[in-house]
């Protein structure tokens, strides 16, 4: 979709970079100037040299730890959000990504508006969306012109045929109204206008729907600075020690303050953050953790089915929680996301007698492995009450 111009094509491949970017960076970065989780990468090569960028992308934590002023300030500015490290990325991969970022900002914008402003005003819009808008505006403009021209012609005609006499020959409201009636009686024009409204309406609805309720990247500040990086990462406390329902039930569950007290009645008592746990217990008020992941009520999701039966890791759906200082929603949690995995993932049928009959039936009709969709994972009623 992007055009690679001669300069990049020699040593870097923006198309390969686009793929790398979309798969690895796009959940946190935009290629233009807008902030997603991290800063927009537009103009990054003017801000930082290649050596720095390579070190950073390979291991951001070590650049911050080295005391690099720029890195530390950036880290503070983005609320100490840890960027994922990409230690396997060599010069070629990084150059490709940079070439893509550059090319996507240089991609010709086919409108008269200044390219810069347009890119910033509509950060979420894909190239396709922008193109569609331009076509729509052009269509509207043409329609308006045609309408005016037709009105003028009709007016002229009616003048020539002498019907406009009583108005003195000028364009009056009456004659315009009359002409408008004639025009709106014309089937072609009427259906063209109706179609235009249908297209506009559909686009607005779709744009709205795709955005509603999607909270990818959501990482609210919590009432206590509880760190998964410390507890689940460095200390390797098992997830189910705190999320006691996660292998057994629908809800994973958020631990009560008393679970924290198993350790914190002795550890770090003096810390103001830990004092908040004591206060909650003393006042008998639960800690008001802010919910991060939240499906709408119309959808049914069960943890044990996915963790216990399917044998999926938490990471499949929540990202690298043991590396997160603050929990962040990494996936969209949309219906499309659930369905996509159900289409791709094999049923974990090994050692599960429940699936023996299904598996035999499946293997007799298909050479493909048995996916979740084959056991009804795409049926509306499985996920909707
Ligand atoms: C999990 C989210 C996340 C992912 C994935 C991620 N980044 Fe970042 N990135 C950040 C954050 C947050 C910052 C701001 C610094 C900080 O908080 O550590 C940042 C900063 C940067 C910076 C410095 C930006 C500036 O304005 O100076 C560059 C360059 C960068 N990231 C490149 C990448 C590339 C390339 C990828 C993909 C290979 C990537 N990042 C993937 C979150 C992410
Ligand atoms: C010591 C207790 C503890 C351990 C161990 C722990 N968590 Fe948590 N977890 C919490 C608390 C407290 C919260 C609520 C505050 C927050 O969001 O940080 C939470 C929140 C979460 C959330 C977000 C819940 C929401 O609101 O949507 C997820 C996802 C999560 N944990 C996953 C994990 C995973 C995966 C592991 C293991 C790798 C793990 N947790 C280990 C205590 C723990
Ligand atoms: C298995 C033991 C254990 C459990 C359970 C546990 N923690 Fe911790 N927590 C620790 C240890 C160890 C530290 C690190 C103390 C240090 O830095 O010396 C710590 C540090 C912290 C800190 C940082 C304190 C500071 O000021 O540096 C916070 C906040 C915290 N825990 C909150 C919680 C909360 C909330 C829970 C319950 C959801 C919880 N912890 C459950 C062992 C535990
Ligand atoms: C197949 C995807 C998937 C897997 C695997 C998964 N989760 Fe979740 N998790 C979700 C979804 C979706 C939600 C939101 C559920 C809702 O709003 O009803 C969620 C919510 C949560 C929550 C907050 C709400 C609750 O249920 O209490 C916690 C905590 C959590 N998950 C922890 C974990 C842990 C720990 C693991 C691994 C042992 C895990 N999850 C594995 C998809 C998953
Ligand atoms: C990472 C992959 C993955 C994601 C994401 C995922 N699922 Fe699943 N899901 C599975 C697997 C694997 C099974 C098969 C479990 C089994 O063997 O019963 C399954 C089974 C189910 C079932 C039972 C289907 C049946 O036929 O019995 C329901 C319901 C379900 N998932 C709902 C959801 C919902 C709702 C979401 C999104 C919020 C979701 N899943 C996201 C992998 C996933
Ligand atoms: C694997 C689970 C799964 C299956 C199967 C599934 N859905 Fe959904 N559906 C979801 C989830 C999760 C949401 C909520 C997603 C969101 O808020 O973005 C949802 C949302 C919806 C919504 C509301 C959309 C909105 O924007 O509020 C409708 C309508 C819907 N589904 C219809 C269907 C129909 C019809 C089918 C069968 C053809 C179906 N779903 C099958 C998981 C599923």
């Amino acid at each position: 979709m992007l055009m690679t111009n001669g300069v990049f094509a020699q040593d870097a491949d923006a198309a390969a970079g686009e793929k790398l970017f979309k798969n690895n960076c796009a959940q946190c970065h935009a290629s233009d100037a807008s902030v997603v989780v991290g800063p927009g990468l537009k103009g990054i090569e003017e801000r930082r040299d290649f050596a720095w960028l390579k070190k950073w992308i390979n291991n951001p934590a070590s650049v911050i730890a080295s005391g690099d002023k720029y890195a530390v300030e950036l880290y503070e500015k983005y609320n100490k959000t840890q960027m994922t490290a990409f230690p396997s990325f060599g010069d070629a991969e990084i150059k490709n990504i940079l070439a893509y970022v550059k090319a996507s900002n240089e991609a010709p914008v086919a409108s008269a508006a200044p390219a810069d402003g347009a890119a910033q005003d509509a950060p979420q819009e894909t190239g396709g969306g922008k193109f569609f808008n331009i076509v729509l505006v052009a269509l509207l403009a043409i329609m308006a012109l045609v309408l005016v021209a037709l009105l003028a012609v009709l007016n002229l005609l009616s003048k020539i045929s002498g019907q406009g006499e009583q108005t003195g020959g000028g364009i009056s409201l009456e004659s315009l109204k009359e002409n408008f009636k004639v025009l709106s009686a014309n089937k072609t024009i009427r259906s063209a206008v109706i179609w235009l409204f249908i297209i506009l309406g559909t686009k607005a609805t779709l744009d709205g729907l795709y955005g509603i309720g999607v909270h990818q990247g959501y990482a609210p500040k919590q009432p206590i600075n509880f760190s998964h990086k410390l507890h689940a990462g460095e200390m390797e406390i098992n997830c189910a020690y705190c999320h006691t329902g996660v292998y057994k039930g629908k809800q994973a569950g958020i631990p009560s303050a008393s679970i924290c007290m198993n350790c914190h009645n002795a550890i770090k008592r003096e810390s103001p953050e830990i004092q908040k746990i004591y206060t909650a217990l003393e006042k008998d008020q639960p800690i008001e953790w802010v919910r991060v992941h939240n499906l709408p009520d119309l959808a049914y999701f069960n943890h044990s089915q996915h963790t216990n039966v399917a044998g999926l890791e938490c990471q499949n759906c929540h990202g690298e929680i043991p590396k997160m200082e603050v929990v962040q929603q990494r996936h969209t949690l949309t219906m499309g996301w659930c369905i996509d995995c159900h289409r791709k993932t094999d049923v974990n049928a090994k050692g599960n007698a429940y699936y023996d009959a299904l598996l035999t039936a499946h293997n007799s009709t298909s050479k493909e492995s048995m996916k979740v969709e084959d056991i009804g994972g795409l049926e509306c009623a499985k996920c909707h009450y």
Side-chain angles (χ1 to χ4, degrees):
M1 206 174 123
L2 273 170
M3 294 205 265
T4 38
N5 66 34
V7 184
F8 302 123
Q10 284 165 7
D11 53 354
D13 181 353
E18 178 172 17
K19 214 164 160 199
L20 283 171
F21 182 87
K22 297 235 157 100
N23 288 337
N24 299 289
C25 321
Q27 73 266 41
C28 298
H29 290 290
S31 63
D32 61 21
S34 50
V35 172
V36 184
V37 177
L41 293 187
K42 184 179 180 200
I44 185 63
E45 284 178 285
E46 280 95 68
R47 291 202 288 284
R48 301 279 87 195
D49 63 25
F50 184 77
W52 188 92
L53 287 170
K54 176 146 197 287
K55 259 195 297 186
W56 173 262
I57 293 165
N58 285 159
N59 193 346
S62 82
V63 180
I64 295 167
S66 77
D68 180 293
K69 188 160 168 283
Y70 182 91
V72 173
E73 273 170 13
L74 201 64
Y75 183 60
E76 298 284 340
K77 185 170 165 210
Y78 285 87
N79 299 322
K80 304 200 171 172
T81 308
Q82 283 287 338
M83 171 166 143
T84 321
F86 298 89
S88 66
F89 280 21
D91 286 8
E93 281 91 356
I94 293 173
K95 279 196 180 135
N96 289 347
I97 292 174
L98 295 174
Y100 162 68
V101 168
K102 198 164 172 193
S104 76
N105 286 301
E106 282 171 357
V109 178
S111 77
D116 237 350
Q120 262 157 14
D121 288 342
Q124 307 293 38
E125 219 130 49
T126 60
K130 230 179 247 166
F131 181 71
F132 193 63
N133 281 344
I134 291 164
V135 171
L136 274 182
V137 170
L139 266 179
L140 267 178
I142 293 171
M143 295 279 303
L145 276 177
V146 169
L147 199 71
V148 169
L150 279 175
L151 277 172
V153 169
L154 268 178
N155 215 45
L156 204 70
L157 279 178
S158 63
K159 241 196 274 175
I160 290 169
S161 65
Q163 285 167 0
E165 261 161 50
Q166 80 255 56
T167 67
I171 298 177
S172 72
L173 198 62
E174 274 307 304
S175 70
L176 274 181
K177 260 193 205 155
E178 194 57 38
N179 291 337
F180 190 74
K181 258 189 220 148
V182 177
L183 265 188
S184 52
N186 181 313
K187 260 198 191 146
T188 326
I189 293 179
R190 224 170 39 199
S191 63
V193 170
I194 290 173
W195 271 111
L196 201 73
F197 275 102
I198 292 178
I199 294 172
L200 278 173
T202 314
K203 168 141 169 64
T205 317
L206 282 179
D207 280 358
L209 279 182
Y210 279 130
I212 289 173
V214 176
H215 300 290
Q216 190 175 24
Y218 182 51
K221 190 168 162 35
Q222 298 291 349
I224 298 178
N225 286 331
F226 173 80
S227 164
H228 278 81
K229 184 164 179 264
L230 175 69
H231 292 85
E234 287 160 33
M235 287 158 52
E236 296 181 340
I237 307 175
N238 192 300
C239 311
Y241 180 87
C242 291
H243 301 294
T244 50
V246 78
Y247 293 107
K248 292 183 291 206
K250 179 180 180 304
Q251 303 273 335
I254 299 296
S256 65
S258 62
I259 292 185
C260 314
M261 289 312 279
N262 290 346
C263 298
H264 284 290
N265 58 8
I267 296 168
K268 277 266 178 172
R269 300 185 61 113
E270 73 292 352
S271 156
E273 292 300 309
I274 302 300
Q275 286 297 325
K276 290 184 194 165
I277 308 176
Y278 295 137
T279 316
L281 280 170
E282 270 160 27
K283 292 200 180 149
D284 202 18
Q285 277 171 349
I287 304 167
E288 291 182 5
W289 302 111
V290 183
R291 182 142 189 175
V292 185
H293 304 75
N294 205 353
L295 291 176
D297 290 341
L298 56 87
Y300 172 83
F301 177 83
N302 185 315
H303 267 96
S304 68
Q305 182 139 39
H306 290 87
T307 53
N308 197 358
V309 183
L312 293 169
E313 302 290 337
C314 317
Q315 194 187 331
N316 284 316
C317 302
H318 293 298
E320 293 265 18
I321 297 275
K323 290 190 182 153
M324 294 181 200
E325 206 71 64
V326 177
V327 176
Q328 184 195 67
Q329 181 179 319
R330 281 293 160 80
H331 294 277
T332 56
L333 306 197
T334 54
M335 179 162 134
W337 174 74
C338 315
I339 299 267
D340 192 47
C341 184
H342 286 187
R343 286 219 169 96
K344 286 198 292 223
T345 311
D346 288 350
V347 174
N348 175 23
K350 253 192 233 118
N352 190 339
Y354 177 77
Y355 285 127
D356 286 351
L358 276 174
L359 199 59
T360 318
H362 176 82
N363 290 346
S364 68
T365 56
S366 166
K367 282 195 204 85
E368 305 259 333
S369 53
M370 188 166 80
K371 307 272 191 252
V372 184
E373 67 173 320
D374 299 320
I375 61 165
L378 304 190
E379 281 165 23
C380 317
K382 290 276 170 77
C383 304
H384 294 292
Y385 299 103

